[in-house]
Amino acid sequence: QAGLTQPPSVSKGLRQTATLTCSGNIYNVGDEGVAWLQQHQGHPPKVLSYRNNNRPSGISERLSASRSGNTASLTIIGLQPEDEADYYCSAWDSSLGAWVFGGGTKLTVL
Amino acid sequence: EVQLVESGGGLAQPGGSLRLSCVASGFSFNNYPLHWVRQAPGKGLEYVSGVSPSGAATYYAKSVKGRFSISKDNSKNTLFLQMGSLRVEDMAVYYCVREADAFDVWGQGTMVTVS
């Protein structure tokens, strides 16, 4: 059972903007924030951002992350075919003493 | 190149055991927390277990606590996951993951089948 809540799927058109959400509580999302991961079929996940909006080198500037209270968001502008993937949020849960993941959102680029 | 390479997956019977290994290269192995994350076929990511850089502190998901044991050999740059009392629901790809602010480096994964 996922510790964080993500919508199962989001569909947007090419070059449109998609916003993916991740909801938690004060002990995880609302505490130290989330990291966002992207996973293409058959590949391991790749980190896109951490601590809400820090992007590793090489990650597109079309991606930005934010947080408001206990909900985190990942916004992707100018959607491209390669953005079609599964997206997961993860956070440290201080009440559980463990890392938790969202159930993942499948982003479809139409 | 920073790399994590898992091995040890395979077929096990319910109630059986397996030992996964993860060899790290390209970074200071004993400076980072390391974790195991699994993904059942067609499902999402599930946190399994983690260990502090020194190996002194360990963390387990409720679903595996008491059955799995994580350890590391800093002299061999190797992370282990000893899995026991395996259940059908443990069947998944098991990823070895480095933690640096986030889960920033992932191995390719090793498949564990319980049947």
Side-chain angles (χ1 to χ4, degrees):
Chain A
Q1 186 175 0
L4 307 176
T5 301
Q6 297 182 252
S9 63
V10 169
S11 297
K12 290 289 183 179
L14 195 63
R15 294 182 294 277
Q16 288 189 330
T17 295
T19 298
L20 312 181
T21 60
C22 170
S23 298
N25 58 43
I26 61 172
Y27 300 108
N28 43 57
V29 176
D31 189 355
E32 294 193 14
V34 306
W36 287 94
L37 304 161
Q38 178 193 58
Q39 185 180 33
H40 288 105
Q41 181 75 22
H43 292 272
K46 178 176 74 173
V47 64
L48 300 176
S49 75
Y50 58 93
R51 297 198 188 280
N52 299 320
N53 198 23
N54 293 281
R55 262 196 318 269
S57 61
I59 300 301
S60 172
E61 292 182 355
R62 297 187 296 106
L63 279 68
S64 64
S66 62
R67 180 187 63 173
S68 177
N70 298 330
T71 298
S73 299
L74 177 72
T75 298
I76 310 172
I77 63 173
L79 284 169
Q80 299 297 309
E82 60 265 28
D83 296 323
E84 187 162 290
D86 294 322
Y87 291 81
Y88 296 91
C89 56
S90 69
W92 172 257
D93 191 304
S94 56
S95 70
L96 298 176
W99 288 90
V100 290
F101 288 94
T105 296
K106 182 176 182 59
L107 175 62
T108 300
V109 180
L110 303 171
Chain B
E1 181 190 3
V2 175
Q3 199 171 11
L4 297 168
V5 179
E6 304 95 335
S7 62
L11 176 64
Q13 292 184 336
S17 301
L18 277 177
R19 189 193 199 201
L20 306 184
S21 299
C22 169
V23 177
S25 59
F27 65 97
S28 296
F29 182 76
N30 56 354
N31 283 356
Y32 294 86
L34 294 167
H35 305 269
W36 291 97
V37 175
R38 69 185 180 186
Q39 187 170 36
K43 302 296 184 182
L45 302 172
E46 181 188 12
Y47 182 80
V48 175
S49 182
V51 63
S52 63
S54 68
T58 57
Y59 315 90
Y60 297 95
K62 286 183 181 178
S63 57
V64 306
K65 200 165 189 176
R67 301 188 298 121
F68 291 10
S69 177
I70 191 171
S71 61
K72 62 187 315 213
D73 185 336
N74 284 342
S75 68
K76 296 182 178 179
N77 286 4
T78 304
L79 177 72
F80 301 100
L81 185 68
Q82 180 68 48
M83 305 187 296
S85 301
L86 283 165
R87 304 168 180 168
V88 171
E89 54 264 35
D90 294 320
M91 185 162 65
V93 173
Y94 284 72
Y95 293 104
C96 172
V97 188
R98 186 183 82 168
E99 178 196 338
D101 289 318
F103 293 147
D104 70 327
V105 179
W106 294 66
Q108 289 298 311
T110 186
M111 181 69 200
V112 171
T113 301
V114 183
S115 178

